[in-house]
């Protein structure tokens, strides 16, 4: 019997029965064919979540208009009956696991890019630019709005013909239907603007049309942003009225989310946001409607999901990025294996990939978006010995994968505990998601009986030779970058890594060199400890290369702590009293006083650790930072993919 009793009870949306309360809500994945058909890749992607135990899948944003409604190039589409056979395959693939599936009907409106729609003007309720996209759309004519209503209805008809169980109208996140509902973006004076009911008229006509064409029992969910988190936008009181009105129109469920592109961190929360931070939104909506409420509340763990259900915060829980991280999230929760779940860390890599025109990926699940490519792990290890050196994320992922292939894995690490760089990543503030991930992946390693741990061990070539392995995986990490500048050997110069590990003392005023993620997070910790901090960045802006949403989130917190931030400054030397910097604009030199200098310039592969093994073992595989400096995602991908394709050979 599962400990999560509410989560695994049956539920209903309209007359449709769902086997449990776990929903995999809509997330862009860009895995469809270029013509909008469901590809083998996207079918496999959703099938894995169905097999993993969710009760309902809602597809990614699905296009209803090929002219102005393109969100990504490889986006699902329901604009032409030609897509029906592949929709049928998608539905059938999900249904065999007793899982239901909805198609989310979508039009981006002003929240797309003109390059995606052949250079044409974006369309919206009104000619008002989104402050994030910064391209002025044109207002749709009344006739165009009427025609758009028919496109949504047609999309639902096509979905039903393909065996899909229901549809969801995307009226959230600042997309087209949201643009009509919200007074923030709808300044129209025709029958689709002005009064409250006029602003909702487009949705009313769509719901009525779907019910007429598909039948009253065909479920229609409506996703809303219960708070847009912008001045002049929808707030919870407005959204209660919207939800009650949608219910009166015939909506069978309300899916509660939040935010628009201008308030992006409230749509797709960075890891700093706690679980359930916006549960008041769904709780309030649920108290005011009779139809079931689905909610996405930044849920990572089954324990918290169950708590939300017990609190009546919603009827169904949306497990989105958590299901990207672990497709078997629901299965593991139901079968008492919640400590084995690979936890989402809130790094936003999944959405960063989409914004760069790529398909969805996941930092902690290298198979996400590549499920068909890595469909069947070879089981050919035959208890042959493989050595993995390094117990960080890449080394642990390689060890797990090799163990699952049937190899006997000897995992060495020079530290007392597994975790590697994850043990440093959890030290800055608000890193509980990474700590959960670290603990769970360690649990997964410990569970595998064919992984033998050798901790607190400085391993040598002769140690490995004595084991006669058929392969050696080198995941021993990297070393901090220390520039060849005067004063770098001073006692007051330390690396961010040594400071976070508790190996280096930091005193008085601090200068942090580098404003990447490590530099900014280290600065935040130093400021919270009471240090006066100056951040030095040689580029023209802080956070070079960082995800914009993560940077916005970090800087919002950091600025409240009042650091001094200097850009276009390059350190040229350090001394006992501080550093000297060169201004890249006017080439002037300035002294900056500091008691401690913290170097946060990244890391580079430490070849002194790996070269001896590479020279001896012809089957030596470099993983993660041991190969090229990167992030958790790079280490995990290296560990999994290289272990997946590894072919044993006596070393």
């Amino acid at each position: 019997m599962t400990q999560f009793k509410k989560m695994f009870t049956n539920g209903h949306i309209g007359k449709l029965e769902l086997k449990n309360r776990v929903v995999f809500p809509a997330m862009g994945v860009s895995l469809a064919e270029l013509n909008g058909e469901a590809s083998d890749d996207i079918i496999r992607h959703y099938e894995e979540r169905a097999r993993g135990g969710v009760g309902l899948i809602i597809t990614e944003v699905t296009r209803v208009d090929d002219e102005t409604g393109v969100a990504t190039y490889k986006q699902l589409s329901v604009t032409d009956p030609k897509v029906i056979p592949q929709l049928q395959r998608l539905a059938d693939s999900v249904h065999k696991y007793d899982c239901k599936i909805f198609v989310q009907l979508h039009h981006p409106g002003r929240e797309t890019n003109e390059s995606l729609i052949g250079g044409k003007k974006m369309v919206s309720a009104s000619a008002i630019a989104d402050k994030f996209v910064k391209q002025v759309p044109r207002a749709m004519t009344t006739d165009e709005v009427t025609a758009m209503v028919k496109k949504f209805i047609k999309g639902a008809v096509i979905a039903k013909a393909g065996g899909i169980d229901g549809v969801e109208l995307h009226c959230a996140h600042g997309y087209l239907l949201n643009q009509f509902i919200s007074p923030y973006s709808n300044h129209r004076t025709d029958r689709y603007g002005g009064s409250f009911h006029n602003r909702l008229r487009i949705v009313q006509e769509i719901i009525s049309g779907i019910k007429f064409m598909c039948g009253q029992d065909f479920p229609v969910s409506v996703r809303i942003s219960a708070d847009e988190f912008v001045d002049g936008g929808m707030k919870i009181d407005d959204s209660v009225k919207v939800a009650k009105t949608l219910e009166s129109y015939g909506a069978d469920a309300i899916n509660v989310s939040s935010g628009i592109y201008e308030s992006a961190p409230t749509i797709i929360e960075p890891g700093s946001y706690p679980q359930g931070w916006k549960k008041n939104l769904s709780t309030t909506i649920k108290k005011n409607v009779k139809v079931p409420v689905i909610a996405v509340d930044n849920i990572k763990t089954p324990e918290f999901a169950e708590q939300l259900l017990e609190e009546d915060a919603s009827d169904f829980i949306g497990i989105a990025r958590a299901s990207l991280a672990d497709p078997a999230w629901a299965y593991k929760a139901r079968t008492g294996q919640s400590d084995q779940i690979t936890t989402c860390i809130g790094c936003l890599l999944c959405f960063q990939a989409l914004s760069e025109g790529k398909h969805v990926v996941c930092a902690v699940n290298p198979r996400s978006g590549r499920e068909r490519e890595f469909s069947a792990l070879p089981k050919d290890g035959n208890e042959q010995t493989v050595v993995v050196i390094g117990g960080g994320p890449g080394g642990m992922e390689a060890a797990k994968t090799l163990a699952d292939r049937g190899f006997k894995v000897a995992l060495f690490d020079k530290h007392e505990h597994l975790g590697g760089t994850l043990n440093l990543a959890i030290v800055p503030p608000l890193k509980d998601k990474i700590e959960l991930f670290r603990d769970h992946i360690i649990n997964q390693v410990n569970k595998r009986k064919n992984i033998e741990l050798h901790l607190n061990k400085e391993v040598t070539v002769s140690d490995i030779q004595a084991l006669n392995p058929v392969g050696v995986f080198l995941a021993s990490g990297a070393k901090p970058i220390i520039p060849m500048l005067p004063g770098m050997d001073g006692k007051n110069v330390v690396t961010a890594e040594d400071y976070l590990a508790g190996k280096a003392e930091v005193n008085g005023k601090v200068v942090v060199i580098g404003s990447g993620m490590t530099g900014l997070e280290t600065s935040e910790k130093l400021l919270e400890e009471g240090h006066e901090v100056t951040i030095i960045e040689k580029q023209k802006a802080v956070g070079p290369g960082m995800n914009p949403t993560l940077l916005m989130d970090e800087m919002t917190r950091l600025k409240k702590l009042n650091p001094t931030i200097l850009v276009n400054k390059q350190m040229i030397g350090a001394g006992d009293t501080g550093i000297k910097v060169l201004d890249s604009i006017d080439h002037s030199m300035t002294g900056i006083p500091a008691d401690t200098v913290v170097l946060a310039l990244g890391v580079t592969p430490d070849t002194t650790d790996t070269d001896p093994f590479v020279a001896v073992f012809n089957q030596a595989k470099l993983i993660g930072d041991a190969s090229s400096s990167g992030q958790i995602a790079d280490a995990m991908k290296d560990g999994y993919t290289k272990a997946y394709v590894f072919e044993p050979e006596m070393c």
Side-chain angles (χ1 to χ4, degrees), residues 575-647:
D576 293 341
T577 59
I579 65 169
K580 286 186 178 181
V581 296
L582 176 69
D583 189 290
S584 62
I585 304 299
D586 62 16
H587 305 294
S588 61
M589 285 192 295
T590 309
I592 298 174
D595 300 297
T596 308
V597 179
V598 177
L599 303 177
L601 298 171
V603 295
T604 187
D606 190 351
T607 57
T608 58
D609 279 350
T610 57
D611 281 353
F613 298 96
V614 172
V616 173
F617 299 107
N618 60 321
Q619 280 288 73
K621 309 292 183 183
L622 297 172
I623 295 175
D625 286 346
S627 172
S628 60
S629 302
Q631 301 174 329
I632 292 173
D634 302 300
M636 293 290 288
K637 183 171 73 172
D638 256 8
Y640 180 77
T641 58
K642 290 182 180 179
Y644 188 100
V645 301
F646 170 67
E647 296 182 2

Side-chain angles (χ1 to χ4, degrees), residues 466-501:
L467 297 174
N468 293 317
V470 295
V472 178
F473 285 71
L474 302 169
S476 50
K479 59 184 179 182
I481 294 173
I482 300 176
M484 300 289 289
L485 294 172
M488 292 298 100
D489 57 351
K491 293 182 179 180
N492 65 330
V493 178
V494 303
T495 65
E497 290 77 11
D498 279 350
Y499 160 65
L500 294 173

